[in-house]
Amino acid sequence: MANLIGAALVTAAVGGVVLVAVTDEPDPSPAPTTSVERVIDGDTVEVLTGGRLEKVRLLNIDAPETTDCLHAEATDRLKSLLPNGSQVTLEYDVERTDRYGRLLAGVVKLDGTLVNAEVARSGLAAAITIGQNARFYPQVSSALSEAVAAGRGLHSREIACTLPAQVKVVTTAAEVPAPVATAAPAEWTQAADAARTAFSQAEALANPSGLVWTVLSAADQSLLRSLVTAALPKLEQREKAFRSEAAAAEKRAAEAVAEERRKAEAAAAAAAEEQRRRDAAAVQQQQRQQQQQQQRTPSPPQQTATQQPSNPYPGYNGPRCYEPGGKVWHPCSKR
């Protein structure tokens, strides 16, 4: 017989009349063993049972889908629990298949481990009920409580994609110390940008959805929502304050640059004036030295007029013929 009879017959004799009632009680008879062929994702496997390949959706858990946080981790966890070839027993509830034709079951290992609960214990699935199928919900919910207490998987504050971690980021950003008063404009701008980013994240977290949200208990949802609500105005105020400080720091920096330029120009002017003074002094010193040198140098003797040789021929006023050297002459004879 199947593990659960969807419409078991219960008979009783009343006044000689046989009454037949229909119930939805689990079938206590053992289910046949099944071989795991492959793990599809964190809550679905393919098995070989009764000579047929069947896809089995694990009851009362909801693991991350392909685009969800920790999808790969949930799939890997189920693979570690159910290596290919594992022998398991499928235990059913009221509804045995879903609209996709998959079997809906609790997957039990030969040692009695309920795999559905182990996935939840790792913090990699939410505890859910769909329709009338709630047979394994208590075990799954209890296992999930352990994951919540230990901060595992989707309940971790250290795994970036989880909701607790995202809320931690924005609440921390709302309390992080501001830059020191003398910080550079870039530091204030960076702090303002960080506050704006955290504010945008907080706005998105104000209306969360998806498995990262539904996996949380109502109490945790309420707590995280209150933390986000409190962080939003703080982050908005911090961004405005930091922008203002950045502008003030930029003004101070510009004034400091202008003052340094003024000092540099003044120093350059002073240096130029000092060089001009030194150059002028050097020119004056050179002129004095030249004057002193001129005073110390004796004047050359004055040239006296060349004495004309006396006339060796008194009374002769005729042409003169000079000997070589131009000092001795004699009357030029007529030829």
Side-chain angles (χ1 to χ4, degrees):
M1 293 178 63
N3 191 42
L4 179 136
I5 301 177
L9 298 181
V10 178
T11 61
V14 179
V17 178
V18 176
L19 302 178
V20 179
V22 178
T23 66
D24 287 324
E25 295 297 328
D27 180 4
S29 60
T33 58
T34 298
S35 174
V36 175
E37 295 299 302
R38 67 185 179 102
V39 169
I40 296 174
D41 57 25
D43 54 26
T44 308
V45 295
E46 188 174 61
V47 301
L48 182 62
T49 181
R52 295 179 55 185
L53 280 176
E54 298 279 3
K55 289 182 180 179
V56 178
R57 175 67 163 77
L58 278 64
L59 277 174
N60 301 128
I61 67 170
D62 186 21
E65 298 297 335
T66 304
T67 58
D68 289 338
C69 174
L70 300 185
H71 164 77
E73 289 78 358
T75 302
D76 290 343
R77 177 56 178 151
L78 189 53
K79 286 180 179 179
S80 70
L81 290 166
L82 297 175
N84 292 351
S86 299
Q87 298 297 302
V88 297
T89 299
L90 302 181
E91 298 187 3
Y92 301 96
D93 202 350
V94 178
E95 300 170 9
R96 294 182 58 135
T97 59
D98 64 9
R99 58 179 177 171
Y100 305 109
R102 298 177 299 184
L103 297 177
L104 302 174
V107 178
V108 181
K109 300 173 70 172
L110 296 184
D111 62 3
T113 300
L114 177 62
V115 175
N116 311 43
E118 294 308 308
V119 177
R121 200 185 314 279
S122 299
L124 296 171
I128 63 169
T129 59
I130 297 179
Q132 301 181 65
N133 288 343
R135 177 179 175 184
F136 305 104
Y137 184 82
Q139 292 168 270
V140 169
S141 181
S142 176
L144 180 59
S145 297
E146 293 183 26
V148 173
R152 298 187 195 123
L154 293 165
H155 306 276
S156 171
R157 286 165 50 88
E158 309 303 326
I159 300 174
C161 63
T162 69
L163 201 60
Q166 293 177 54
V167 172
K168 177 184 176 183
V169 167
V170 299
T171 54
T172 300
E175 303 296 337
V176 68
V180 297
T182 56
E187 293 183 61
W188 286 109
T189 299
Q190 184 177 11
D193 290 343
R196 164 49 54 182
T197 299
F199 180 83
S200 299
Q201 292 174 329
E203 281 190 316
L205 292 173
N207 296 290
S209 61
L211 186 63
V212 292
W213 175 249
T214 58
V215 73
L216 302 176
S217 66
D220 286 342
Q221 290 177 346
S222 178
L223 173 62
L224 294 183
R225 195 186 292 276
S226 66
L227 290 173
V228 170
T229 301
L232 277 168
K234 290 183 180 179
L235 291 168
E236 186 174 27
Q237 189 277 331
R238 285 168 70 87
E239 183 195 3
K240 291 180 180 178
F242 293 167
R243 299 284 182 209
S244 177
E245 289 291 346
E250 287 179 357
K251 182 180 179 181
R252 290 194 298 270
E255 291 173 348
V257 169
E259 178 63 15
E260 288 298 321
R261 184 183 298 112
R262 185 194 66 77
K263 289 181 179 179
E265 290 173 351
E273 176 61 22
E274 176 64 16
Q275 186 62 44
R276 186 200 63 75
R277 186 190 65 78
R278 290 179 180 180
D279 291 345
V283 170
Q284 292 176 355
Q285 178 67 17
Q286 185 178 17
Q287 290 175 346
R288 285 194 297 269
Q289 290 176 349
Q290 289 176 348
Q291 291 175 356
Q292 292 172 357
Q293 183 66 28
Q294 289 174 355
Q295 292 173 357
R296 287 194 296 268
T297 303
S299 299
Q302 294 183 351
Q303 297 290 334
T304 59
T306 304
Q307 295 289 335
Q308 293 292 327
S310 61
N311 187 354
Y313 303 99
Y316 179 76
N317 292 322
R320 297 180 180 184
C321 292
Y322 285 86
E323 296 292 333
K327 294 182 178 181
V328 179
W329 64 275
H330 54 79
C332 295
S333 61
K334 294 182 180 179
R335 301 264 182 109

